[in-house]
Amino acid sequence: VAVFTKKEPISVHYGLHDNKYDDEGRVITLEFENFYYVACYVPNSGEELKRLDFRMQFEKDLVSYLNELNEKKPIIYAGDLNVAHNEIDLKNPKTNTHSAGFTIEERNAFTNLLNNGYVDTFRYLHPEEVKYSWWSYRFRAREKGIGWRIDYFVVSKSIIDKVKSSEIHNEIFGSDHCPVGLEIEI
């Protein structure tokens, strides 16, 4: 959920460097006076991990893009990032180690993002809390509490002290995902 008060964006950009990935509609960047807001739908690695290589290239290009923006002003990066970063972020980690969204490659890519100066706001504020933002439509997964946390708000480390709250609203129904929210004063 992104709600901006008081200001209109200075500019809007679709895609990454040189409009890469525009054909998939993956990234929208809003530039504001004091920060960039980057909304993203990270590619899913797919059945049998058929798109894992594509996704890993996307992840590298994305970090490069975010780092270029972050040199100018801080980043708020949000969306369906299609990765459960740690075992706490999904119900059944042991049986999903080779599943799209929980491969070592995908998890390492997210770790690399964080190591580049970004912070997972929910995990920062709720280090031990188990909450999910996505559930399969199969087998009544949501009803059974079998979910994954794959929707995030990530911010530049330089503005983590401005984050007031980061929440997962799993009480809201209507999709296989639930809204996530960030309150930040920037």
Side-chain angles (χ1 to χ4, degrees), residues 4 7-14 28-39 65 68-76:
F4 304 103
K7 297 280 183 176
E8 293 293 320
I10 296 169
S11 67
V12 178
H13 175 75
Y14 298 92
I28 301 172
T29 302
L30 304 176
E31 180 183 5
F32 291 90
E33 183 178 340
N34 299 322
F35 67 98
Y36 289 98
Y37 179 83
V38 180
Y65 176 72
E68 281 184 23
L69 294 177
N70 196 41
E71 288 177 13
K72 300 172 192 167
K73 50 182 107 171
I75 305 288
I76 299 172

Side-chain angles (χ1 to χ4, degrees), residues 15 20-21 27 34 56-57 59 77 81 85 88 90 97-99 105 111 116 118 122 137 147 155 177-178:
K20 195 169 185 179
Y21 306 105
V27 180
N34 299 322
M56 291 301 95
Q57 186 59 54
E59 295 274 5
Y77 168 52
L81 305 189
H85 185 224
I88 191 174
L90 73 162
T97 57
H98 298 291
S99 297
E105 294 90 346
T111 298
N116 267 270
Y118 304 97
F122 181 82
Y137 279 128
V155 300
H177 291 259
C178 71

Side-chain angles (χ1 to χ4, degrees), residues 91-157:
K91 179 66 173 181
N92 297 309
K94 303 243 184 299
T95 59
N96 281 295
T97 57
H98 298 291
S99 297
F102 198 63
T103 65
I104 193 69
E105 294 90 346
E106 293 161 315
R107 296 168 66 201
N108 285 345
F110 193 79
T111 298
N112 179 56
L113 170 72
L114 300 179
N115 288 342
N116 267 270
Y118 304 97
V119 180
D120 170 357
T121 61
F122 181 82
R123 194 53 65 215
Y124 179 81
L125 295 174
H126 309 277
E128 303 297 323
E129 188 171 355
V130 175
K131 261 189 153 176
Y132 306 125
S133 63
W134 176 82
W135 302 263
S136 171
Y137 279 128
R138 297 194 213 166
F139 313 114
R140 299 185 345 231
R142 189 165 187 175
E143 182 180 317
K144 294 176 183 177
I146 302 169
W148 296 48
R149 184 174 78 96
I150 62 173
D151 301 278
Y152 294 80
F153 274 99
V154 174
V155 300
S156 300
K157 197 176 282 187

Side-chain angles (χ1 to χ4, degrees), residues 165-176:
S165 71
S166 182
E167 302 298 332
I168 297 173
H169 298 284
N170 58 8
E171 73 282 5
I172 298 175
F173 291 80
S175 168
D176 56 342

